Amino acid sequence: MKKEDIKVVISDIDGTLITDYDELPDNFIEMVDRLNEMGIIFVAASGRGANSIKNKLQYEADNLYIISDNGSIIMKGDDVIAASQFTALEYKELS
């Protein structure tokens, strides 16, 4: 695979992007900006809720997306791009 073929970088947050001490790498913003310059989308993914991810990253960029709530919500900035949830009937059937 060539570097030019990379379109998206997706990273889990807990224990991958952030340390065991709940800290982002010092070069996080620089990395996201560099990916943006290269035309590459960066996605921070987690089982966490969207607000928890946003509070942790404290950064918005044109190429920064969030997958939250165990994959049920995809966001760019404050815009929800996709969301999936059980209907009340589906939930009741699972209970």
Side-chain angles (χ1 to χ4, degrees):
M1 176 184 295
K2 299 176 190 167
K3 196 175 356 178
E4 302 83 44
D5 295 334
I6 299 171
K7 303 296 179 207
V8 177
V9 172
I10 301 172
S11 177
D12 178 50
I13 291 183
D14 298 307
T16 305
L17 183 61
I18 62 172
T19 67
D20 291 338
Y21 301 105
D22 203 37
E23 298 171 345
L24 284 167
D26 292 336
N27 66 341
F28 172 72
I29 292 172
E30 178 184 330
M31 180 212 46
V32 173
D33 289 345
R34 178 71 180 116
L35 290 172
N36 193 27
E37 291 170 8
M38 297 169 66
I40 298 172
I41 294 169
F42 180 77
V43 181
S46 180
R48 293 180 182 219
N51 287 333
S52 175
I53 297 171
K54 287 180 179 184
N55 288 337
K56 176 47 59 187
L57 300 181
Q58 294 187 8
Y59 184 67
E60 288 190 25
D62 290 340
N63 66 322
L64 179 61
Y65 290 74
I66 291 173
I67 297 177
S68 67
D69 299 271
N70 289 318
S72 65
I73 298 175
I74 302 173
M75 298 182 74
K76 180 177 184 202
D78 290 328
D79 297 328
V80 175
I81 296 171
S84 178
Q85 59 189 10
F86 290 116
T87 65
L89 179 59
E90 290 169 329
Y91 176 76
K92 195 171 191 176
E93 288 174 357
L94 291 171
S95 308

